[in-house]
Amino acid sequence: MSADLSESLDHFYRGQSDDPYWTDSFWFSWAIPEKDICGLVWTHFRPNMNCICGGPAMWDLSGQHVWEFPFFDFQTMRRLPEGRYGIDYDKFDFAAPWSLSVKMVEPMETYRISYDRAGFRLELEFNAIAPPNIMNRPSAEQLKSAFKVHFEQPGRIRGYVELEDVRHDVDTFSIRDGGHGPRFMEASPPGGYAWSTADEKTGFHVLAPNSGNAPQSDVIGGYILRDGIMSPTAGGIRRVLERRGARPEVVEVKIRDELGRELHAIGRAQVPAEFMLYPDRGQWWTLFTWDYEGATGAPGEDQEYYGIHEFRKWHRAGPDAWAKR
Protein backbone atom coordinates (compact mmCIF):
# COMPACT_ATOMS: atom_id res chain seq x y z
CA MET A 1 0.00 0.00 0.00
CA SER A 2 1.44 3.36 -1.01
CA ALA A 3 2.11 6.08 1.55
CA ASP A 4 -0.30 8.43 -0.25
CA LEU A 5 -3.13 5.89 -0.15
CA SER A 6 -2.46 5.04 3.49
CA GLU A 7 -2.50 8.72 4.40
CA SER A 8 -5.81 9.25 2.59
CA LEU A 9 -7.59 6.68 4.78
CA ASP A 10 -7.45 9.06 7.74
CA HIS A 11 -9.25 11.85 5.89
CA PHE A 12 -12.43 12.58 4.01
CA TYR A 13 -12.39 11.66 0.34
CA ARG A 14 -10.60 14.42 -1.58
CA GLY A 15 -12.37 13.90 -4.90
CA GLN A 16 -15.79 15.06 -6.03
CA SER A 17 -19.13 13.27 -6.08
CA ASP A 18 -22.63 14.71 -6.26
CA ASP A 19 -24.26 11.38 -5.37
CA PRO A 20 -26.66 12.15 -2.48
CA TYR A 21 -25.79 8.79 -0.90
CA TRP A 22 -22.03 9.41 -0.94
CA THR A 23 -20.74 8.32 2.46
CA ASP A 24 -17.47 8.59 4.36
CA SER A 25 -17.59 6.13 7.24
CA PHE A 26 -15.67 4.60 10.12
CA TRP A 27 -16.32 2.07 12.88
CA PHE A 28 -14.53 1.06 16.07
CA SER A 29 -15.43 -2.19 17.81
CA TRP A 30 -15.15 -2.50 21.58
CA ALA A 31 -16.22 -5.18 24.02
CA ILE A 32 -15.91 -6.52 27.54
CA PRO A 33 -16.11 -10.25 26.79
CA GLU A 34 -15.73 -11.30 30.42
CA LYS A 35 -18.93 -9.37 31.24
CA ASP A 36 -20.85 -10.44 28.11
CA ILE A 37 -20.85 -6.86 26.82
CA CYS A 38 -20.31 -5.75 23.24
CA GLY A 39 -20.28 -2.27 21.77
CA LEU A 40 -19.54 -0.07 18.81
CA VAL A 41 -18.94 3.46 17.68
CA TRP A 42 -20.00 3.82 14.04
CA THR A 43 -20.32 7.04 12.06
CA HIS A 44 -21.37 7.87 8.50
CA PHE A 45 -20.86 11.35 7.06
CA ARG A 46 -23.14 12.19 4.13
CA PRO A 47 -21.87 15.58 2.91
CA ASN A 48 -24.26 15.91 -0.05
CA MET A 49 -27.19 15.56 2.35
CA ASN A 50 -25.51 17.81 4.93
CA CYS A 51 -26.02 15.13 7.56
CA ILE A 52 -24.17 12.74 9.82
CA CYS A 53 -25.42 9.38 11.08
CA GLY A 54 -23.91 7.44 13.92
CA GLY A 55 -23.02 7.11 17.56
CA PRO A 56 -22.36 4.50 20.25
CA ALA A 57 -24.19 1.34 21.22
CA MET A 58 -23.72 -1.11 24.10
CA TRP A 59 -25.52 -4.44 24.38
CA ASP A 60 -25.45 -7.50 26.63
CA LEU A 61 -27.49 -10.64 27.22
CA SER A 62 -30.49 -8.71 28.54
CA GLY A 63 -31.91 -8.35 25.02
CA GLN A 64 -30.94 -8.37 21.36
CA HIS A 65 -33.05 -5.42 20.18
CA VAL A 66 -32.01 -1.80 20.53
CA TRP A 67 -34.89 -0.92 22.85
CA GLU A 68 -33.56 -3.58 25.24
CA PHE A 69 -29.90 -2.47 25.12
CA PRO A 70 -28.24 -0.94 28.17
CA PHE A 71 -27.46 1.98 25.85
CA PHE A 72 -28.12 3.01 22.25
CA ASP A 73 -27.72 6.40 20.61
CA PHE A 74 -27.21 5.86 16.89
CA GLN A 75 -28.47 9.10 15.35
CA THR A 76 -29.80 8.65 11.83
CA MET A 77 -30.27 12.20 10.55
CA ARG A 78 -28.31 15.01 12.20
CA ARG A 79 -26.64 18.07 10.74
CA LEU A 80 -22.94 17.94 10.03
CA PRO A 81 -20.60 19.49 12.61
CA GLU A 82 -20.19 23.26 12.48
CA GLY A 83 -17.68 24.55 9.97
CA ARG A 84 -16.47 23.60 6.52
CA TYR A 85 -16.49 19.90 5.67
CA GLY A 86 -12.95 18.56 5.42
CA ILE A 87 -11.41 21.93 6.27
CA ASP A 88 -12.54 22.95 9.76
CA TYR A 89 -13.02 19.33 10.80
CA ASP A 90 -12.04 15.95 9.38
CA LYS A 91 -12.97 12.29 9.55
CA PHE A 92 -10.96 11.65 12.72
CA ASP A 93 -10.96 15.19 14.10
CA PHE A 94 -14.51 16.31 14.86
CA ALA A 95 -17.14 16.80 17.54
CA ALA A 96 -20.73 15.89 16.67
CA PRO A 97 -23.64 17.95 18.05
CA TRP A 98 -24.64 15.12 20.42
CA SER A 99 -21.24 14.90 22.21
CA LEU A 100 -19.53 12.19 20.14
CA SER A 101 -15.97 13.16 19.29
CA VAL A 102 -13.01 11.43 17.70
CA LYS A 103 -9.42 12.61 17.65
CA MET A 104 -6.53 11.15 15.70
CA VAL A 105 -3.42 11.08 17.90
CA GLU A 106 -1.05 9.28 15.52
CA PRO A 107 -1.94 8.72 11.85
CA MET A 108 -2.95 5.12 11.10
CA GLU A 109 -2.06 4.21 14.69
CA THR A 110 -3.89 5.85 17.60
CA TYR A 111 -7.39 7.33 17.96
CA ARG A 112 -9.34 8.64 20.96
CA ILE A 113 -13.12 8.35 21.07
CA SER A 114 -15.31 10.24 23.56
CA TYR A 115 -18.99 10.50 24.32
CA ASP A 116 -20.97 11.88 27.30
CA ARG A 117 -24.76 12.06 27.08
CA ALA A 118 -27.97 10.64 28.56
CA GLY A 119 -26.26 8.91 31.48
CA PHE A 120 -23.62 7.20 29.35
CA ARG A 121 -19.95 8.16 29.16
CA LEU A 122 -17.36 6.57 26.88
CA GLU A 123 -13.60 7.22 26.85
CA LEU A 124 -11.65 4.82 24.63
CA GLU A 125 -8.30 4.73 22.84
CA PHE A 126 -7.65 2.46 19.87
CA ASN A 127 -4.05 1.47 19.08
CA ALA A 128 -3.32 -0.39 15.84
CA ILE A 129 -1.23 -3.58 15.93
CA ALA A 130 -0.82 -3.90 12.13
CA PRO A 131 -1.23 -1.72 9.05
CA PRO A 132 -4.68 -1.36 7.48
CA ASN A 133 -5.77 -3.89 4.88
CA ILE A 134 -7.65 -2.43 1.93
CA MET A 135 -10.46 -4.63 0.68
CA ASN A 136 -8.92 -6.29 -2.34
CA ARG A 137 -11.73 -7.97 -4.28
CA PRO A 138 -14.91 -5.90 -4.16
CA SER A 139 -17.70 -6.89 -6.52
CA ALA A 140 -19.14 -4.64 -9.22
CA GLU A 141 -22.30 -4.27 -7.12
CA GLN A 142 -20.33 -3.09 -4.09
CA LEU A 143 -18.41 -0.58 -6.17
CA LYS A 144 -21.74 0.67 -7.48
CA SER A 145 -23.77 0.83 -4.27
CA ALA A 146 -21.59 0.32 -1.18
CA PHE A 147 -18.01 1.58 -1.38
CA LYS A 148 -15.14 2.61 -3.61
CA VAL A 149 -12.46 2.06 -0.96
CA HIS A 150 -12.82 0.11 2.26
CA PHE A 151 -10.27 -1.04 4.83
CA GLU A 152 -9.98 -2.93 8.11
CA GLN A 153 -7.25 -2.57 10.74
CA PRO A 154 -6.76 -4.76 13.83
CA GLY A 155 -5.78 -3.23 17.14
CA ARG A 156 -6.32 -3.04 20.86
CA ILE A 157 -8.87 -0.77 22.51
CA ARG A 158 -8.63 0.43 26.11
CA GLY A 159 -10.46 2.82 28.38
CA TYR A 160 -13.86 2.71 30.03
CA VAL A 161 -17.57 3.17 29.62
CA GLU A 162 -19.77 4.42 32.41
CA LEU A 163 -23.50 3.83 32.49
CA GLU A 164 -25.63 5.40 35.22
CA ASP A 165 -22.55 5.80 37.47
CA VAL A 166 -21.41 2.19 36.99
CA ARG A 167 -17.97 2.06 35.38
CA HIS A 168 -16.84 -0.78 33.12
CA ASP A 169 -13.18 -0.97 32.14
CA VAL A 170 -12.45 -1.87 28.53
CA ASP A 171 -9.26 -3.66 27.46
CA THR A 172 -9.55 -6.04 24.54
CA PHE A 173 -8.30 -6.74 21.05
CA SER A 174 -10.40 -5.05 18.45
CA ILE A 175 -10.75 -3.90 14.86
CA ARG A 176 -11.69 -0.70 13.09
CA ASP A 177 -12.81 -0.01 9.56
CA GLY A 178 -13.34 2.90 7.25
CA GLY A 179 -14.26 3.65 3.71
CA HIS A 180 -15.99 5.91 1.26
CA GLY A 181 -18.35 5.56 -1.65
CA PRO A 182 -22.05 5.58 -2.55
CA ARG A 183 -23.95 3.78 0.20
CA PHE A 184 -27.41 2.75 -0.93
CA MET A 185 -28.13 -0.65 0.55
CA GLU A 186 -31.87 -1.25 0.15
CA ALA A 187 -31.28 -3.92 -2.51
CA SER A 188 -27.86 -5.15 -1.38
CA PRO A 189 -27.49 -8.95 -1.28
CA PRO A 190 -27.13 -10.78 2.05
CA GLY A 191 -23.67 -11.60 3.29
CA GLY A 192 -21.37 -12.19 6.20
CA TYR A 193 -18.62 -10.16 7.85
CA ALA A 194 -16.46 -11.94 10.41
CA TRP A 195 -13.28 -11.07 12.26
CA SER A 196 -11.14 -11.90 15.26
CA THR A 197 -8.01 -10.45 16.79
CA ALA A 198 -6.44 -13.02 19.12
CA ASP A 199 -3.25 -11.14 20.05
CA GLU A 200 -0.74 -8.63 18.69
CA LYS A 201 0.35 -10.99 15.92
CA THR A 202 -2.72 -13.10 15.14
CA GLY A 203 -6.08 -12.41 13.56
CA PHE A 204 -8.29 -12.53 10.50
CA HIS A 205 -11.10 -10.73 8.73
CA VAL A 206 -13.48 -11.78 5.93
CA LEU A 207 -16.27 -10.26 3.86
CA ALA A 208 -18.44 -12.85 2.10
CA PRO A 209 -21.58 -11.80 0.15
CA ASN A 210 -24.28 -14.40 -0.47
CA SER A 211 -26.48 -13.45 -3.42
CA GLY A 212 -28.14 -16.83 -3.92
CA ASN A 213 -28.96 -17.99 -0.37
CA ALA A 214 -26.34 -20.73 -0.77
CA PRO A 215 -25.18 -22.82 2.22
CA GLN A 216 -21.85 -21.00 2.12
CA SER A 217 -20.56 -17.63 0.92
CA ASP A 218 -17.39 -16.92 -1.05
CA VAL A 219 -14.91 -14.55 0.55
CA ILE A 220 -14.18 -11.48 -1.59
CA GLY A 221 -12.00 -9.57 0.86
CA GLY A 222 -10.18 -9.74 4.15
CA TYR A 223 -6.81 -10.75 5.56
CA ILE A 224 -4.83 -13.21 7.61
CA LEU A 225 -2.54 -11.85 10.34
CA ARG A 226 -0.06 -14.52 11.37
CA ASP A 227 3.27 -14.05 13.18
CA GLY A 228 2.73 -10.32 12.82
CA ILE A 229 2.60 -10.52 9.00
CA MET A 230 -0.62 -9.42 7.33
CA SER A 231 -1.62 -10.61 3.87
CA PRO A 232 -4.90 -10.07 1.94
CA THR A 233 -7.18 -13.03 1.32
CA ALA A 234 -6.99 -14.80 -2.03
CA GLY A 235 -10.16 -16.88 -1.53
CA GLY A 236 -12.17 -18.89 0.93
CA ILE A 237 -15.63 -19.34 2.41
CA ARG A 238 -17.82 -18.35 5.36
CA ARG A 239 -20.38 -21.01 6.32
CA VAL A 240 -23.06 -21.00 9.02
CA LEU A 241 -22.96 -24.39 10.76
CA GLU A 242 -25.78 -23.75 13.23
CA ARG A 243 -28.51 -21.16 13.62
CA ARG A 244 -30.69 -20.17 16.53
CA GLY A 245 -33.85 -19.19 14.75
CA ALA A 246 -32.86 -16.86 11.93
CA ARG A 247 -29.47 -15.80 13.29
CA PRO A 248 -26.04 -17.45 13.07
CA GLU A 249 -24.99 -19.39 16.16
CA VAL A 250 -21.88 -21.30 14.95
CA VAL A 251 -19.86 -20.07 11.96
CA GLU A 252 -16.95 -21.62 10.07
CA VAL A 253 -14.35 -19.62 8.14
CA LYS A 254 -11.84 -21.21 5.76
CA ILE A 255 -9.51 -18.83 3.92
CA ARG A 256 -6.16 -18.61 2.18
CA ASP A 257 -4.10 -15.48 1.65
CA GLU A 258 -1.83 -14.15 -1.07
CA LEU A 259 1.19 -15.70 0.68
CA GLY A 260 -0.38 -19.15 0.32
CA ARG A 261 -1.18 -19.46 4.02
CA GLU A 262 -4.44 -21.09 5.11
CA LEU A 263 -6.62 -20.47 8.15
CA HIS A 264 -9.54 -22.45 9.57
CA ALA A 265 -11.65 -20.85 12.31
CA ILE A 266 -14.80 -21.86 14.20
CA GLY A 267 -16.80 -19.14 15.91
CA ARG A 268 -19.59 -19.38 18.47
CA ALA A 269 -22.11 -16.71 19.36
CA GLN A 270 -21.67 -15.03 22.74
CA VAL A 271 -23.76 -11.83 22.76
CA PRO A 272 -26.19 -11.29 19.84
CA ALA A 273 -27.83 -8.10 18.64
CA GLU A 274 -30.21 -7.29 15.82
CA PHE A 275 -29.83 -3.91 14.16
CA MET A 276 -31.50 -1.64 11.68
CA LEU A 277 -28.96 1.15 11.88
CA TYR A 278 -30.50 2.73 8.79
CA PRO A 279 -33.95 2.16 7.30
CA ASP A 280 -32.56 0.32 4.25
CA ARG A 281 -30.47 -2.34 6.00
CA GLY A 282 -30.84 -4.98 8.71
CA GLN A 283 -28.27 -7.28 10.28
CA TRP A 284 -27.32 -9.64 13.05
CA TRP A 285 -24.31 -8.20 14.92
CA THR A 286 -22.95 -10.69 17.42
CA LEU A 287 -19.96 -10.85 19.74
CA PHE A 288 -18.32 -14.20 18.95
CA THR A 289 -15.58 -16.33 20.45
CA TRP A 290 -13.26 -17.85 17.85
CA ASP A 291 -10.97 -20.89 17.85
CA TYR A 292 -8.07 -20.80 15.34
CA GLU A 293 -4.28 -20.70 15.09
CA GLY A 294 -3.99 -22.36 18.50
CA ALA A 295 -6.14 -19.69 20.16
CA THR A 296 -9.30 -20.71 22.03
CA GLY A 297 -12.10 -18.27 22.71
CA ALA A 298 -10.41 -15.36 20.93
CA PRO A 299 -12.58 -12.20 20.79
CA GLY A 300 -14.26 -11.19 17.57
CA GLU A 301 -17.61 -10.86 15.87
CA ASP A 302 -19.83 -12.21 13.16
CA GLN A 303 -22.20 -9.92 11.30
CA GLU A 304 -24.80 -11.18 8.86
CA TYR A 305 -26.32 -8.34 6.84
CA TYR A 306 -29.25 -7.88 4.45
CA GLY A 307 -30.96 -5.23 2.37
CA ILE A 308 -34.14 -4.44 4.24
CA HIS A 309 -36.46 -6.34 1.86
CA GLU A 310 -34.30 -9.47 2.12
CA PHE A 311 -34.12 -9.09 5.90
CA ARG A 312 -37.90 -9.05 6.15
CA LYS A 313 -38.18 -12.11 3.88
CA TRP A 314 -35.52 -13.95 5.86
CA HIS A 315 -37.31 -13.41 9.16
CA ARG A 316 -40.55 -14.66 7.67
CA ALA A 317 -38.95 -17.65 5.91
CA GLY A 318 -39.26 -19.93 8.92
CA PRO A 319 -37.32 -22.91 10.34
CA ASP A 320 -37.22 -24.99 7.15
CA ALA A 321 -35.45 -22.20 5.24
CA TRP A 322 -33.20 -21.29 8.16
CA ALA A 323 -31.96 -24.88 8.43
CA LYS A 324 -30.82 -24.90 4.80
CA ARG A 325 -28.53 -21.89 4.95
Side-chain angles (χ1 to χ4, degrees):
M1 181 172 57
S2 70
D4 288 345
L5 181 55
S6 176
E7 172 68 15
S8 74
L9 301 179
D10 269 333
H11 303 283
F12 291 132
Y13 176 65
R14 301 304 191 190
Q16 298 292 324
S17 173
D18 60 2
D19 189 322
Y21 295 101
W22 184 269
T23 300
D24 229 311
S25 69
F26 70 78
W27 157 62
F28 291 92
S29 173
W30 62 272
I32 313 171
E34 65 274 16
K35 293 185 177 181
D36 292 322
I37 291 173
C38 193
L40 61 79
V41 175
W42 196 9
T43 298
H44 284 205
F45 293 86
R46 284 186 160 170
N48 296 328
M49 292 183 176
N50 192 36
C51 78
I52 177 175
C53 312
M58 170 181 171
W59 63 96
D60 59 17
L61 293 175
S62 62
Q64 66 187 27
H65 299 107
V66 296
W67 54 87
E68 301 171 304
F69 287 7
F71 193 77
F72 182 80
D73 190 20
F74 191 91
Q75 300 283 330
T76 56
M77 190 67 71
R78 296 291 292 264
R79 293 186 63 178
L80 290 170
E82 293 294 327
R84 294 166 295 175
Y85 183 84
I87 298 173
D88 297 322
Y89 63 93
D90 208 340
K91 191 170 183 175
F92 295 102
D93 185 10
F94 74 93
W98 64 100
S99 86
L100 176 67
S101 68
V102 177
K103 181 72 174 178
M104 179 173 63
V105 178
E106 184 70 26
M108 306 310 303
E109 292 283 346
T110 305
Y111 305 82
R112 290 182 184 148
I113 311 114
S114 299
Y115 175 94
D116 190 356
R117 183 172 181 258
F120 182 73
R121 184 175 182 185
L122 177 149
E123 296 288 342
L124 298 173
E125 182 173 287
F126 177 93
N127 290 277
I129 60 172
N133 178 70
I134 293 180
M135 195 75 67
N136 52 334
R137 287 175 171 81
S139 68
E141 178 60 30
Q142 286 169 321
L143 291 173
K144 178 182 177 183
S145 64
F147 55 79
K148 293 291 186 183
V149 172
H150 202 278
F151 74 89
E152 276 73 24
Q153 185 174 28
R156 187 162 192 155
I157 197 160
R158 297 181 176 94
Y160 69 91
V161 297
E162 186 175 289
L163 178 62
E164 298 172 352
D165 298 323
V166 177
R167 175 172 166 144
H168 302 275
D169 291 330
V170 176
D171 185 357
T172 190
F173 289 103
S174 175
I175 198 171
R176 75 177 185 118
D177 81 356
H180 60 255
R183 216 108 199 249
F184 183 76
M185 296 175 288
E186 178 181 300
S188 62
Y193 181 109
W195 69 271
S196 174
T197 307
D199 57 41
E200 290 87 351
K201 296 183 177 182
T202 311
F204 74 88
H205 161 253
V206 297
L207 175 67
N210 188 325
S211 58
N213 289 325
Q216 64 186 41
S217 306
D218 292 333
V219 170
I220 65 162
Y223 63 78
I224 293 175
L225 176 66
R226 179 181 291 164
D227 299 326
I229 299 171
M230 176 181 282
S231 177
T233 55
I237 58 100
R238 169 192 174 270
R239 175 165 44 219
V240 178
L241 301 182
E242 295 179 22
R243 291 186 182 271
R244 178 166 294 187
R247 71 167 173 83
E249 180 74 9
V250 181
V251 172
E252 178 181 41
V253 168
K254 290 184 176 181
I255 49 177
R256 65 184 184 281
D257 66 15
E258 294 181 353
L259 297 177
R261 304 178 300 181
E262 296 183 348
L263 181 144
H264 181 208
I266 299 292
R268 294 172 175 83
Q270 182 177 354
V271 188
E274 185 174 10
F275 281 106
M276 284 179 56
L277 292 178
Y278 346 79
D280 61 356
R281 185 180 178 101
Q283 65 195 108
W284 301 104
W285 193 314
T286 304
L287 180 67
F288 259 56
T289 61
W290 288 93
D291 299 341
Y292 64 102
E293 303 286 292
T296 301
E301 294 176 346
D302 181 79
Q303 303 169 24
E304 190 168 271
Y305 57 85
Y306 301 75
I308 191 59
H309 302 303
E310 288 294 327
F311 200 44
R312 185 185 67 253
K313 291 176 184 176
W314 180 243
H315 271 283
R316 295 170 62 86
D320 289 344
W322 300 335
K324 295 175 183 176
R325 190 184 133 235

